[in-house]
Amino acid sequence: MGHCRKTVREAMLVSAEEYGYLVRGYNEDIQERYNVARWMCFNRMLTSPFIKQKPSSPEQYAPFPWDMPREVRPSRVTPEEEAELNRLKEDFLKHRNE
């Protein structure tokens, strides 16, 4: 199964949490490879006599989406959804104590 070194059978048995960890690890690996390539190009540009306007940082030379700050928007819960969540919470707490 590629980067995670799992067989198909093992991959079908992972939990949602484990799957999230696998995806996050894969994304971090890809980002690390792109960052290494960016640094290599940046260092090459700094040593090149043919480039007059040299960038001051690798991020300036090649910005990637993960370099830019992310705008976090709060989720908006409607009153109906909030009532349903409260009902589920009360139901859970009631059955947990039994």
Side-chain angles (χ1 to χ4, degrees), residues 18-92:
E18 291 171 325
Y19 178 75
Y21 291 138
L22 290 172
V23 169
R24 188 168 62 189
Y26 175 76
N27 289 338
E28 288 173 0
D29 183 48
I30 295 294
Q31 286 181 7
E32 184 64 31
R33 291 177 190 213
Y34 271 98
N35 285 330
V36 168
R38 176 170 56 184
W39 269 100
M40 290 171 58
C41 292
F42 176 70
N43 287 330
R44 184 77 171 161
M45 287 178 71
L46 289 180
T47 59
S48 174
F50 303 106
I51 298 176
K52 302 299 180 208
Q53 289 283 27
K54 299 192 188 307
S56 60
S57 70
E59 290 80 15
Q60 182 185 9
Y61 163 66
F64 293 135
W66 53 83
D67 293 331
M68 297 171 201
R70 295 173 69 179
E71 184 179 320
V72 179
R73 289 182 270 158
S75 62
R76 295 193 174 115
V77 180
T78 64
E80 295 84 18
E81 292 172 330
E82 187 173 0
E84 177 69 14
L85 288 171
N86 286 334
R87 186 189 64 75
L88 290 171
K89 178 180 157 187
E90 290 171 7
D91 189 43
F92 171 75

